[in-house]
Amino acid sequence: NVHCCYVSIVDGRCYWYDWADYQSDMIFDGIQSNTPMGLLLDLEEGMLSIYQNGQRLATLKDGLSGEYCWYADVCAVTISIERGLAPGE
């Protein structure tokens, strides 16, 4: 059971937590610093994916179900949270 996912653009990893433990679930390449990125939480498929420059870089976590909320932990950047479709859809 996953309670939250954390994406680190510093080391290109996705971590997930279940309040008892955390796991480094995957490493992904291709993040460009100072370039907008998007996270897509697909509630129908139960997947969290990361996008940049209109391209999906990776599926960070699948098999998600239940209720979710967004949070952001940022430093000296601008962030917005919007409802929308994946690029190209």
Side-chain angles (χ1 to χ4, degrees), residues 19-70:
W19 298 150
D21 196 12
Y22 78 94
Q23 302 291 321
S24 175
D25 200 36
M26 75 166 313
I27 299 171
F28 56 93
D29 294 319
I31 289 287
Q32 299 171 9
S33 61
N34 299 320
T35 302
M37 75 177 73
L39 294 174
L40 176 69
L41 178 59
D42 185 329
L43 297 173
E44 290 180 14
E45 296 295 324
M47 294 188 321
L48 177 65
S49 300
I50 187 165
Y51 287 80
Q52 195 169 50
N53 296 322
Q55 300 293 317
R56 183 173 62 88
L57 300 178
T59 297
L60 302 174
K61 192 70 181 153
D62 59 8
L64 301 172
S65 64
E67 295 182 15
Y68 286 90
C69 63
W70 286 102

Side-chain angles (χ1 to χ4, degrees), residues 1 11 14 17 25-26 28 45 52 74 89:
N1 195 10
D11 63 5
C14 176
Y17 299 84
D25 200 36
M26 75 166 313
F28 56 93
E45 296 295 324
Q52 195 169 50
V74 296
E89 291 187 18

